[in-house]
Amino acid sequence: MKTTHKLLNREWLIARIAVACGVIMTNVMAASIPQAVAERSPREIILAQSLDQEANLKFESRGCRRTKPTKVTCDVLLTNISDKRQDFGFGTRSDLITNSVDSSGTVYPAQTVQSGAGIAEGSGKFDISLSPGIPTKVTFIFEIPQEVTELAALDIAYYALINSGWIVRKTAITNIGAIAIQSNSAPPRQRDTQR
């Protein structure tokens, strides 16, 4: 009886860790998450990610950084995991609002979304066509007060072309972490010793 109870607790713990790490599993016993987590060194970065299996799209956070006193930029890599090219839409329209959430639960909507030549501001939208297996960066820009130093999640909204129709989809990437400070200072110039 004790052994069965311990096994069930272990399975529950594995499932909780998998959900917290953004891993989608259909069989809890198939993953050995605790070993993988325990073997990571303190310097190794565990990527925050999410997977939309219906839209065949993987999201990986590449971190957030403060570029101005109240501007925070978050980069997300998108990867089309299907075997054919797919189209997606991102933007700042009311139906496509992507939010960042801080550790106190305060929500900050994206002011700008961009990828390559595509940019959306105000109530704009742009489409992006992704080849299979090639990661593409999308950048979300937020207005976040200086006293906020870390983010709990990015709640991303996007259009996906599924079964010949555009559908608004949402996914959350949790455990984003600390907001890095971007240094804008240039290295000191060397003195001109020749006169």
Side-chain angles (χ1 to χ4, degrees):
M1 178 80 169
K2 268 189 170 179
T3 307
T4 304
H5 184 63
K6 284 182 181 179
L7 184 58
L8 288 175
N9 280 341
R10 180 177 175 269
E11 289 175 14
W12 180 82
L13 179 61
I14 291 170
R16 296 285 296 169
I17 292 171
V19 169
C21 292
V23 175
I24 305 221
M25 300 184 328
T26 56
N27 182 352
V28 174
M29 292 305 291
S32 58
I33 300 298
Q35 284 180 339
V37 171
E39 290 173 4
R40 295 188 186 277
S41 71
R43 285 191 254 165
E44 189 174 345
I45 297 171
I46 299 173
L47 296 177
Q49 59 183 313
S50 179
L51 179 66
D52 181 342
Q53 291 182 336
E54 187 176 354
N56 292 310
L57 190 58
K58 181 171 85 170
F59 299 80
E60 292 178 47
S61 171
R62 290 302 186 189
C64 298
R65 66 194 175 284
R66 195 168 291 281
T67 57
K68 292 185 178 172
T70 60
K71 283 245 194 276
V72 174
T73 300
C74 297
D75 293 329
V76 175
L77 282 185
L78 306 177
T79 306
N80 170 3
I81 58 171
S82 76
D83 58 356
K84 61 182 179 182
R85 181 175 285 278
Q86 293 196 113
D87 296 324
F88 299 94
F90 290 87
T92 52
R93 298 183 342 193
S94 61
D95 59 341
L96 285 178
I97 293 294
T98 290
N99 294 308
S100 60
V101 183
D102 69 19
S103 55
S104 71
T106 305
V107 175
Y108 307 95
Q111 306 295 309
T112 305
V113 181
Q114 61 188 44
S115 180
I119 188 165
E121 296 178 296
S123 60
K125 172 188 174 287
F126 66 88
D127 295 331
I128 186 169
S129 186
L130 300 177
S131 296
I134 300 173
T136 302
K137 182 173 75 170
V138 175
T139 301
F140 300 91
I141 302 171
F142 304 93
E143 286 284 332
I144 299 177
Q146 281 184 287
E147 58 271 11
V148 176
T149 59
E150 67 177 45
L151 294 176
L154 291 178
D155 189 22
I156 301 172
Y158 56 99
Y159 276 118
L161 189 57
I162 299 174
N163 299 327
S164 302
W166 287 98
I167 299 170
V168 174
R169 308 281 299 173
K170 291 197 176 221
T171 193
I173 304 174
T174 58
N175 301 320
I176 299 301
I179 299 171
I181 305 297
Q182 180 172 311
S183 173
N184 290 331
S185 61
R189 286 195 262 175
Q190 294 181 346
R191 263 195 253 165
D192 186 8
T193 55
Q194 298 175 352
R195 289 189 188 225

